[in-house]
């Protein structure tokens, strides 16, 4: 089973701070890396799907980078807002035809 | 479009009882998935269906069965519920089941087994 690791497990920042999280995955047989945002009492919502080494994706204040050779992805949030409070999940698919393996997530709490 | 819908939203069972969790999607997606989410464990795949008529085991299939009733519906059955199956169950779908595709999740079913 593919092992996807996320760090930190949780963090707490003040409104306006910028922050970043890490997702690590095996670099062999890489196909895709997904980032999801999961608010309490809601269902996970997709942020990015990244497939190419060096990929950078951006949605508003949130961006992500991908390094498939060393097996990591970073998710950045610029100027955190209380509404950014959520659990951020990454998931990887190591072989075509199999399903996503999710990390345990990073839970972000933003105080105003 | 409703997206992915799940019923029921919440269920309490006694050990040994059976039940079926229902999932439907109206996006004409080929692939559907069942996950369970437990504290500190993240989302773990139970079963998935790459296309109508096919199902495959995921990471934690023991104690569950699935049926891909048609393209829209994918049900998860617990034949004899155990306390270890207390969890939040999420159904998801994707267009073709390809690695680069987003998965769309339902609202979840909270199951408590006493």
């Amino acid at each position: 089973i593919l092992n996807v690791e996320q760090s930190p497990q949780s963090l707490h920042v003040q409104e306006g701070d910028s922050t970043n999280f890490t997702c690590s995955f095996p670099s062999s047989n890489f196909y895709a890396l997904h980032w999801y945002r999961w608010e309490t009492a809601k269902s996970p919502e997709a942020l990015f799907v990244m497939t190419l080494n060096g990929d950078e994706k951006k949605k508003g204040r949130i961006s992500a980078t991908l390094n498939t050779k060393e097996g990591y992805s970073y998710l950045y949030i610029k100027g955190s807002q209380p509404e950014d409070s959520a659990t951020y999940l990454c998931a990887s698919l190591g072989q075509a035809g199999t399903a996503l393996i999710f990390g345990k997530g990073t839970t972000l709490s933003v105080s105003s | 479009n409703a997206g992915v819908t799940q019923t029921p939203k919440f269920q309490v069972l006694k050990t040994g009882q059976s039940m079926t969790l229902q999932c439907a999607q109206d996006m004409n997606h080929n692939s559907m998935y069942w996950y369970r989410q437990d504290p500190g464990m993240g989302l773990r795949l139970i079963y998935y269906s790459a296309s109508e008529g096919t199902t495959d085991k995921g990471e934690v299939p023991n104690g569950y069965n699935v049926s891909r009733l048609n393209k829209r519906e994918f049900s998860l059955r617990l034949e004899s519920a155990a306390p270890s199956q207390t969890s939040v169950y999420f159904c998801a779908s994707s267009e073709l089941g390809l690695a680069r595709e987003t998965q769309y999740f339902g609202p979840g079913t909270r199951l408590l087994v006493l």
Side-chain angles (χ1 to χ4, degrees):
Chain A
I1 297 287
L2 183 71
N3 210 25
V4 177
E5 302 285 346
Q6 291 188 247
S7 63
Q9 184 176 340
S10 64
L11 74 163
H12 180 232
V13 301
Q14 296 294 314
E15 183 176 358
D17 289 348
S18 294
T19 187
N20 64 86
F21 330 131
T22 303
C23 174
S24 300
F25 53 88
S27 56
S28 59
N29 297 320
F30 172 82
Y31 280 86
L33 190 286
H34 293 227
W35 280 102
Y36 289 83
R37 181 172 180 272
W38 192 2
E39 290 182 72
T40 302
K42 294 186 178 180
S43 44
E45 291 184 346
L47 286 172
F48 308 113
V49 179
M50 309 171 79
T51 57
L52 298 176
N53 185 47
D55 252 357
E56 291 189 29
K57 300 263 185 173
K58 187 174 181 180
K59 183 183 288 188
R61 294 178 291 98
I62 303 176
S63 60
T65 61
L66 178 67
N67 183 322
T68 62
K69 298 190 178 191
E70 296 182 37
Y72 65 84
S73 175
Y74 292 138
L75 186 80
Y76 301 91
I77 301 179
K78 183 178 179 182
S80 301
Q81 299 297 309
E83 57 264 31
D84 295 328
S85 297
T87 295
Y88 293 82
L89 299 170
C90 73
S92 187
L93 193 151
Q95 294 179 339
T98 62
L100 289 174
I101 302 295
F102 282 83
K104 295 178 182 179
T106 293
T107 299
L108 173 67
S109 175
V110 183
S111 299
S112 57
Chain B
N1 285 351
V4 180
T5 57
Q6 293 182 235
T7 56
K9 291 185 178 180
F10 181 71
Q11 183 73 46
V12 179
L13 291 178
K14 294 181 180 178
T15 297
Q17 287 185 316
S18 62
M19 79 162 293
T20 300
L21 282 64
Q22 307 286 353
C23 173
Q25 51 89 11
D26 62 1
M27 296 175 282
N28 201 36
H29 284 173
N30 285 298
S31 298
M32 298 184 74
Y33 313 84
W34 276 106
Y35 295 90
R36 60 179 288 175
Q37 191 268 325
D38 303 293
M41 297 297 292
L43 285 168
R44 292 184 293 168
L45 183 68
I46 304 171
Y47 271 93
Y48 67 101
S49 171
S51 60
E52 186 179 354
T54 69
T55 60
D56 287 285
K57 294 179 180 179
E59 185 182 353
V60 288
N62 291 345
Y64 305 95
N65 287 302
V66 290
S67 295
R68 183 72 183 268
L69 304 169
N70 47 55
K71 192 171 185 178
R72 289 188 63 249
E73 298 172 291
F74 188 37
S75 63
L76 179 72
R77 182 161 178 83
L78 287 70
E79 291 290 351
S80 180
S84 61
Q85 294 178 304
T86 293
S87 188
V88 182
Y89 292 86
F90 286 94
C91 178
S93 71
S94 65
E95 186 173 0
L96 296 173
L98 299 177
R100 63 180 181 271
E101 292 175 342
T102 294
Q103 289 191 12
Y104 295 86
F105 286 82
T109 294
R110 290 186 175 275
L111 177 65
L112 174 62
V113 183
L114 301 174

